[in-house]
Amino acid sequence: MAGEGIIGKVLYSQEEIEARAKEVAAQIDKDYEGEDLILLCTLKGSVMWFADILKYMEHDCKIDFISASSYGSSTSSSGVVKIKFDPNINMYNNHVLVVEDIVDSGITLQYLMGKLEERGPKSVKVCTMLNKEARRTTDFHADYVGFEVDDLFIIGYGLDYDQRLRGLPYISYLEESDVEAL
Ligand code: IMP
Ligand code: MG
């Protein structure tokens, strides 16, 4: 646990997240039946959702990890995306499913999708735990969405506030008074 007691206002409990992950995993199994699939986890925020999806999928897929970032320690996108860690797994002629924590402006994923397409995969799709549609500044759309969220600053279940609180076993949001108390 990242701290004592509940931090922020809880949106989804671990049980709710896992139940939703089971539904999404079942849909992915159905959609990729009989196909080779690479599940690509975007570090670091997606680790928990990625593990849930992987665990609840029946499909035997390859996995790898990638890290792209357009964030400093601020709470909004800088608009400049950098790939900080890049896997050398061969994506050519494979289906790739990027597993993301949250889509906000969509800048990071739009950039990443372009980069992955250059590697000649059969397809590239995105499964995000959270979709913050209100903040979208691109025409990016995720193919699988765990939950829709309002324009809030979300933490927990992999998501951080300045690299903290990723270990919270629930999804919550921070208001200014919560930040002061951290
Ligand atoms: P985008 O490029 O604006 O879509 O930013 C996506 C990335 O910003 C996500 O993968 C997260 O790492 C981070 N992010 C966006 N919104 C939040 C939030 O509410 N809490 C924590 N991280 C966030
Ligand atoms: Mg991220």
Side-chain angles (χ1 to χ4, degrees), residues 42-46 68 100-102:
T42 58
L43 296 171
K44 307 169 191 166
S46 308
E100 174 68 311
D101 50 358
I102 183 167

Coordinates of all heavy atoms in Angstrom, one line a residue, residues 42-46 68 100-102, ligand 2:
T42 N 2.1 -0.5 -21.7 CA 2.7 0.8 -21.7 C 3.1 1.1 -20.2 O 2.3 1.2 -19.3 CB 1.8 2.0 -22.2 OG1 0.6 2.0 -21.4 CG2 1.5 1.8 -23.7
L43 N 4.4 1.2 -20.0 CA 4.9 1.5 -18.7 C 4.8 3.0 -18.3 O 4.9 3.8 -19.2 CB 6.4 1.1 -18.6 CG 6.7 -0.4 -18.8 CD1 8.2 -0.6 -18.9 CD2 6.1 -1.2 -17.7
K44 N 4.6 3.3 -17.1 CA 4.5 2.4 -16.0 C 3.1 2.2 -15.6 O 2.7 1.2 -14.9 CB 5.3 2.9 -14.8 CG 6.7 3.3 -15.1 CD 7.3 4.1 -13.9 CE 8.6 4.7 -14.3 NZ 9.1 5.7 -13.3
G45 N 2.2 3.2 -16.0 CA 0.9 3.2 -15.4 C 0.0 2.0 -15.7 O -1.0 1.8 -14.9
S46 N 0.3 1.2 -16.7 CA -0.7 0.2 -17.1 C -0.4 -1.2 -16.4 O -1.1 -2.1 -16.6 CB -0.6 -0.1 -18.6 OG -0.7 1.1 -19.3
A68 N 6.4 5.3 -23.3 CA 6.4 6.6 -24.1 C 5.8 7.6 -23.1 O 4.9 7.3 -22.3 CB 5.5 6.5 -25.3
E100 N -3.1 0.3 -22.2 CA -2.8 1.7 -21.7 C -3.5 1.9 -20.4 O -4.6 1.3 -20.1 CB -3.2 2.7 -22.8 CG -3.1 4.1 -22.4 CD -1.7 4.6 -22.2 OE1 -0.9 4.0 -21.5 OE2 -1.3 5.7 -22.7
D101 N -3.0 2.8 -19.6 CA -3.7 3.1 -18.3 C -4.9 4.1 -18.5 O -6.0 3.9 -18.2 CB -2.7 3.7 -17.3 CG -1.8 4.8 -17.7 OD1 -1.9 5.2 -18.9 OD2 -1.0 5.3 -17.0
I102 N -4.5 5.3 -19.2 CA -5.6 6.3 -19.4 C -5.3 7.1 -20.6 O -4.1 7.4 -20.9 CB -5.7 7.2 -18.1 CG1 -6.8 8.2 -18.2 CG2 -4.3 7.9 -17.8 CD1 -7.1 8.9 -16.9
Ligands
MG2 MG 0.7 6.3 -19.5

